[in-house]
């Protein structure tokens, strides 16, 4: 293993102290000597493979050592001080940074995810190598995921697609990103993965022969022009193909980059010369050319892309870049450690990571977890447009960005005073979607009253949203306090409890601490301006409020009683038509059977009862089977009318492995849905299994199906179904 690591260092790294690498290897081997992996192999295999991945990237001595030692502090008796003593404080700090990230337990809840990502951003801002080591660690874990349980495979794969692959993309580490995505797809959707693998394999020989023919033609033309080059077929990434098939509804044969070649040359001048030669040989498809050399992506990616019509009229993609650009394309920020003593400097690398500081600045202004995670994924994975200022400076913005996004990217004051915009010399509305290559000029006015609240629905960038919200927080705080309070009171009543009573409880202090607010006025203002998600705040308040009631000695029945009393204070609803038509008649007295609780959308059957009108059952109700067999003449045809605003009570049952927070997560799902909780009962059964019965108020069966689908996604939940007594 040590020899393999040294070989990789010799091949890809410069100025690495191999003696220190050997010392670190023996230190790690001794520390992990009693440990085994899930596969039964010695644990040392994992840190050595992580170090090999880092060596392939051309990382420096301390990073490779930290890769060898990244699990030592977490899994053995050695401490941060022991590492610092043997290998220096820089290595010890890298190991500690990776260890802290390793302790973050991934959960499906947005709040936990957001907290984890914030810690990652802080670690990246401190030393980007912490995340590079963590990505190498995750890559090797994904390569060996087959030894984990199926549940763990899916959980790790989802986490990889949600967080680690986007981070690799944003750092320009495409080689790591593609492999993480392909491995994750293999475990999340094995049927689709192996379908794509088979389809590609079926025509491999034909495609390879076609590409070989193109490579030979291109190579001859470039040699004739005295341009030194390496030409190869571009690897096919299964996840990319899968996304294009799903999102764009394409077949494998319709995806251009299945057939692709990559041309590597020595200089930028050669790149454009090679492109000219390619375009004289093959007809380019209009609108399919992209110049990422003149306008690099924010993750440092540079290349020329063009789709052309090849032999036999088949389209194929060609990518042209220098050898140095290719290394950056594969390893991103990691590639630049190789050149630290030469072309690259600390300042140069620091400039390439300004987006981390921008994201950190934005996240400190964003308390809402859902909004933060949505913005985080947009920042990392969205397509981009490149536009120009009138002076020719390139500004990159997310795809779909508007002149308002552009204005705030230039300066906050320009955004706040923006009154109009010109694109390529023509006036455009402020919701105009900018396109790559356009020149944007912002019109400002000293008499401007500031941004409009509607701009929040127009802008695409987190930076613009954050600055607009910040303006409204300062400019209209009093108005937002009143608005926020009204919204909270109204929403809490919908949720079935009194906001005034909640204010008297300890729940308020917990909520203020959660959202880092100093007073209730700050909370009202944040809700009023839209900086905090209303339903999330109310759900959190309800959760803490109910917890306070329990801590006072109330059991679950007392909590239900509190909810029931709160509902009663709203006043009884007026009787409304139940919305059932009996044989074309809508004025017949009907009631819904308690045994099956039918709701709009269910197939239903009516049963005529003495003195109580028609009893409505679901057609799959066990009781109706008996009635059909024994009292068929009492059964009548019924159907749903078109009632408005009528709520129906139905009951569902949730079964799962008992764990702290399971009841809370279930209530939270209900609160965020189009249903409301009427009653709940939870109890443990044998073997750490628990059952939660919930009565819900809904208006149609689709709402019920939706909430049941979301409940099934909760961690440890094994079964969710409607009850039928």
């Amino acid at each position: 293993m040590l020899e393999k690591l040294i070989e990789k260092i010799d091949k890809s790294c410069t100025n690495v102290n191999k003696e220190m690498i050997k010392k670190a290897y023996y230190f790690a081997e001794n520390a992990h000597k009693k440990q085994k992996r899930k596969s039964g192999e010695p644990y040392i295999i994992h840190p050595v493979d992580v170090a090999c991945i880092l060596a392939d990237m051309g990382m420096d001595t301390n990073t490779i050592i930290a890769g060898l030692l990244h699990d030592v502090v977490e899994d053995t008796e050695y401490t941060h001080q022991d590492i610092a003593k043997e290998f220096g404080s820089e290595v010890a700090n890298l190991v500690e940074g990776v260890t802290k990230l390793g302790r973050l337990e991934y959960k499906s809840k947005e709040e936990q995810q957001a907290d984890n990502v914030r810690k990652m951003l802080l670690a990246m801002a401190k030393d980007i190598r912490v995340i590079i080591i963590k990505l190498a660690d995750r890559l090797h874990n994904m390569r060996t995921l087959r030894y984990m349980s199926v549940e763990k495979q899916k959980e790790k794969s989802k986490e990889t697609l949600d967080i680690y692959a986007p981070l690799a993309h944003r750092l320009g580490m495409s080689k790591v990103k593609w492999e993480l995505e392909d491995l994750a797809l293999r475990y999340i959707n094995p049927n689709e993965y192996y379908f794509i693998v088979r389809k590609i394999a079926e025509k491999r020989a034909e495609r390879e022969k076609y590409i070989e023919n193109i490579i030979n033609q291109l190579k001859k033309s470039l040699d004739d022009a005295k341009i030194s080059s390496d030409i190869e077929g571009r690897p096919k990434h299964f996840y990319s193909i899968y996304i294009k098939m799903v999102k764009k509804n394409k077949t494998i044969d319709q995806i251009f980059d299945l057939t692709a070649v990559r041309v590597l040359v020595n200089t930028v001048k050669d790149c454009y010369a090679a492109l000219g030669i390619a375009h004289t040989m093959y007809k380019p498809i209009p609108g399919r050319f992209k110049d990422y050399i003149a306008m690099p992506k924010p993750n440092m990616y540079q290349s020329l892309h063009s789709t052309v019509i090849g032999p036999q009229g088949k389209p194929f993609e060609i990518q042209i870049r220098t050898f140095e650009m290719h290394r950056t394309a594969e390893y991103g920020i990691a590639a630049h450690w190789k050149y630290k003593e030469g072309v690259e400097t600390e300042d140069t690398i620091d400039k390439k990571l300004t987006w981390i500081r921008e994201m950190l600045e934005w996240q400190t202004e964003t308390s809402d977890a859902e909004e933060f995670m949505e913005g985080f994924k947009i920042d990392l994975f969205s397509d981009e447009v490149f536009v120009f200022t009138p002076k020719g400076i390139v500004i990159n913005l997310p795809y779909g960005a508007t002149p308002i996004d552009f204005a705030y990217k230039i300066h906050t004051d320009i955004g706040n005073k923006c009154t109009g915009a010109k694109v390529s010399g023509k006036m455009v509305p402020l919701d105009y979607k900018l396109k790559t290559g356009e020149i944007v000029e912002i019109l400002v006015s000293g008499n401007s009253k500031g941004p409009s609240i509607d701009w929040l629905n127009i802008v695409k960038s987190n930076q613009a949203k954050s600055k607009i919200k910040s303006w409204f927080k300062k400019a209209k705080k009093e108005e937002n306090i009143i608005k926020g309070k009204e919204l909270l009171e109204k929403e809490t009543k919908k949720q079935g409890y009194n906001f005034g009573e909640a204010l008297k409880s300890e729940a308020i202090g917990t909520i203020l601490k959660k959202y880092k607010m100093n007073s209730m006025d700050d909370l009202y203002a944040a809700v009023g301006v839209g900086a905090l998600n209303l339903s999330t705040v109310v759900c959190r308040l309800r959760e803490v409020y109910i917890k306070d009631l329990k801590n006072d000695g109330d059991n679950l029945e007392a909590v239900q009683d509190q909810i029931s009393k709160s509902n009663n204070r709203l006043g009884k609803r007026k009787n409304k038509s139940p919305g059932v038509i009996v044989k074309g008649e809508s004025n017949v007295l009907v009631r819904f059977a308690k045994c099956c609780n039918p709701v709009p959308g269910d197939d239903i059957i009516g049963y005529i009862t003495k003195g109580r009108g028609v009893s409505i059952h679901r057609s799959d109700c066990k009781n109706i089977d008996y009635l059909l067999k024994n009292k068929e003449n009492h059964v009548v045809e019924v159907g749903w009318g078109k009632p408005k605003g009528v709520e129906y009570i139905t009951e569902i049952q949730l079964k799962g492995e008992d764990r702290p927070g399971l009841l809370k997560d279930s209530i939270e799902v209900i609160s965020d849905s189009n249903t409301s909780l009427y009653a709940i009962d939870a109890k443990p059964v044998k073997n750490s299994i628990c059952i939660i019965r919930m009565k819900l108020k809904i208006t149609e069966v689709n709402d019920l199906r939706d909430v049941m689908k979301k409940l099934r996604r909760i961690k440890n939940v094994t079964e969710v179904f409607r009850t039928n007594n």
Side-chain angles (χ1 to χ4, degrees), residues 17-34:
N17 187 331
K18 285 182 272 192
E19 290 306 312
M20 288 299 290
I21 299 292
K22 291 175 183 177
K23 179 182 176 182
Y25 169 80
Y26 291 118
F27 188 95
E29 185 182 45
N30 180 62
H32 293 298
K33 63 185 177 183
K34 294 180 182 178

Side-chain angles (χ1 to χ4, degrees), residues 13-17 21 54 57-66 90 94 129 334 337-338 340-341:
C13 302
T14 56
N15 302 322
V16 169
N17 187 331
I21 299 292
L54 295 168
M57 296 177 189
M59 296 304 294
D60 61 304
T61 304
N62 286 344
T63 308
I64 297 173
I65 291 174
E90 186 177 323
L94 287 172
R129 291 175 295 175
W337 261 264
K338 187 172 182 177
K340 226 175 195 181
E341 285 76 28

